[in-house]
Amino acid sequence: MTPKSTIPAFGVLALLMTGTAAFAADTLTVGFAQVGSESGWRAAETKVAKQKAQQDNVTLKISDAQQKQENEIKAVRSFVAQGVDGIFIAPVVATGWDSVLREAKDANIPVFLLDRQIETSDPSLYTAAVTSDTVLEGHMIGDYLAKITNNKCRIVELQGTVGSSPAINRKKGFGEAIAAHPDMQIVRSQSGDFTRSGGKQVMESFIKAENNGHDICAVFAHNDDMGIGAIQAIKEAGLKPGTDIKVVSIDGVPDMFKAMADGEANGTVELSPNMAGPAFKALIALKTDHTQPQKWIKTPSTLYTPATAQAEYDRRKPLY
Ligand code: GYE
């Protein structure tokens, strides 16, 4: 028996003695291999993770991978070497995880995927994934764009990080939604890497290629930050975002609510930045009484439009 395996027993004993559920987590240390800080949504997720860790008495070690998978893999290896009680990974890209996950599994350390999914031939290599339904998000915003354009629109698409599950899935969901409408087409599509500057740069090139933007009906950005970057590019080209070129995206960050309130964007699908909270809860339950979590702990996604944007902005601002 390793010293680690005595932790749940201690937890249960103290639970009986103190009668409080908070104690069991006192001893937990979690390593979080985070993507980076490419977007406002990502920064909020990190912030909420720290808050939830404090509430749940978890010691949280966060490593910033600067959007590189190799850095995340290194971080996971170091968490395994440190013998942490759980590992959270927000996987930059979907493939290439099996061998490092096997190392964590061999060391008996449960792994939770946060906000992005992976492709693996052996799902037993991770314990659970806490993510939104990113295919659904693409579908929802595609249906909405169809509605506000009378099913007729030449669309440019700003994709997220190449090979990341939200980029793959949001493209898929959006494509499914517009497939029903022959007059809706994606005429240009390129990655802006989920960043504001990437979104702006790629949008500038789309505008140049599309009759100074006059032939573009809408931009679909896989996240709000790229959408905000696109808004800047549209303005600099002398056009009106939200009117001349419609802007729809996904995340629900305050800046996008502000843009909608100002009439410069048309819709976003919000996903909760609280991915760590449900993961801590599941890890604590697993450690205290061996409760196996659901494989996919799904968080909700909600469509927002300009009609309620000002109120939603005021409500969210303090949280970010
Ligand atoms: O939408 C984007 C971030 O993985 C769901 O990553 C997350 C996405 C989010 O960079 O802003």
Side-chain angles (χ1 to χ4, degrees), residues 136-241:
L136 176 71
E137 288 160 357
H139 208 116
M140 285 168 80
I141 206 71
D143 282 343
Y144 172 71
L145 184 64
K147 208 172 96 187
I148 63 170
T149 60
N150 282 324
N151 309 332
K152 190 175 181 343
C153 193
R154 293 185 93 245
I155 304 154
V156 295
E157 178 184 37
L158 295 168
Q159 294 187 37
T161 300
V162 175
S164 70
S165 71
I168 297 165
N169 292 340
R170 287 171 182 166
K171 181 170 188 55
K172 179 167 178 254
F174 186 89
E176 283 167 7
I178 66 164
H181 310 294
D183 290 336
M184 293 186 83
Q185 296 121 15
I186 295 177
V187 293
R188 291 181 190 271
S189 180
Q190 203 181 308
S191 174
D193 212 13
F194 280 133
T195 66
R196 223 170 255 224
S197 59
K200 180 166 187 261
Q201 227 174 30
V202 176
M203 190 65 190
E204 281 165 1
S205 73
F206 287 165
I207 289 171
K208 278 201 194 96
E210 291 290 332
N211 189 19
N212 286 323
H214 294 285
D215 290 347
I216 302 173
C217 149
V219 53
F220 162 45
H222 287 191
N223 80 344
D224 283 351
D225 278 82
M226 292 190 296
I228 308 267
I231 289 173
Q232 286 164 4
I234 295 167
K235 281 185 182 168
E236 284 171 22
L239 296 171
K240 277 203 180 119

Side-chain angles (χ1 to χ4, degrees), residues 27-239:
T27 51
L28 293 187
T29 297
V30 170
F32 180 10
Q34 176 61 299
V35 171
S37 50
E38 75 283 359
S39 67
W41 187 90
R42 177 80 45 208
E45 184 194 44
T46 302
K47 187 173 162 191
V48 176
K50 288 177 185 165
Q51 286 166 353
K52 295 287 169 190
Q54 214 169 21
Q55 281 167 18
D56 288 340
N57 291 320
V58 172
T59 303
L60 184 64
K61 302 179 174 190
I62 304 180
S63 121
D64 178 336
Q66 320 246 331
Q67 282 188 281
K68 289 201 175 75
Q69 182 180 34
E70 62 199 81
N71 292 343
E72 287 197 316
I73 290 174
K74 270 188 213 148
V76 172
R77 291 217 163 102
S78 130
F79 294 143
V80 171
Q82 292 168 52
V84 296
D85 303 294
I87 295 175
F88 294 177
I89 309 174
V92 181
V93 290
T95 55
W97 292 101
D98 285 16
S99 65
V100 74
L101 289 182
R102 195 156 286 121
E103 291 167 35
K105 194 181 175 192
D106 289 347
N108 256 321
I109 302 174
V111 171
F112 289 78
L113 306 178
L114 258 54
D115 77 80
R116 296 184 184 183
Q117 298 271 3
I118 60 166
E119 284 166 32
T120 174
S121 53
D122 181 2
S124 81
L125 291 176
Y126 68 92
T127 302
V130 183
T131 82
S132 60
D133 184 339
T134 49
V135 177
L136 176 71
E137 288 160 357
H139 208 116
M140 285 168 80
I141 206 71
D143 282 343
Y144 172 71
L145 184 64
K147 208 172 96 187
I148 63 170
T149 60
N150 282 324
N151 309 332
K152 190 175 181 343
C153 193
R154 293 185 93 245
I155 304 154
V156 295
E157 178 184 37
L158 295 168
Q159 294 187 37
T161 300
V162 175
S164 70
S165 71
I168 297 165
N169 292 340
R170 287 171 182 166
K171 181 170 188 55
K172 179 167 178 254
F174 186 89
E176 283 167 7
I178 66 164
H181 310 294
D183 290 336
M184 293 186 83
Q185 296 121 15
I186 295 177
V187 293
R188 291 181 190 271
S189 180
Q190 203 181 308
S191 174
D193 212 13
F194 280 133
T195 66
R196 223 170 255 224
S197 59
K200 180 166 187 261
Q201 227 174 30
V202 176
M203 190 65 190
E204 281 165 1
S205 73
F206 287 165
I207 289 171
K208 278 201 194 96
E210 291 290 332
N211 189 19
N212 286 323
H214 294 285
D215 290 347
I216 302 173
C217 149
V219 53
F220 162 45
H222 287 191
N223 80 344
D224 283 351
D225 278 82
M226 292 190 296
I228 308 267
I231 289 173
Q232 286 164 4
I234 295 167
K235 281 185 182 168
E236 284 171 22
L239 296 171

Side-chain angles (χ1 to χ4, degrees), residues 241-255:
T243 319
D244 296 331
I245 298 181
K246 293 194 168 27
V247 180
V248 291
S249 56
I250 294 163
D251 267 0
V253 299
D255 283 355

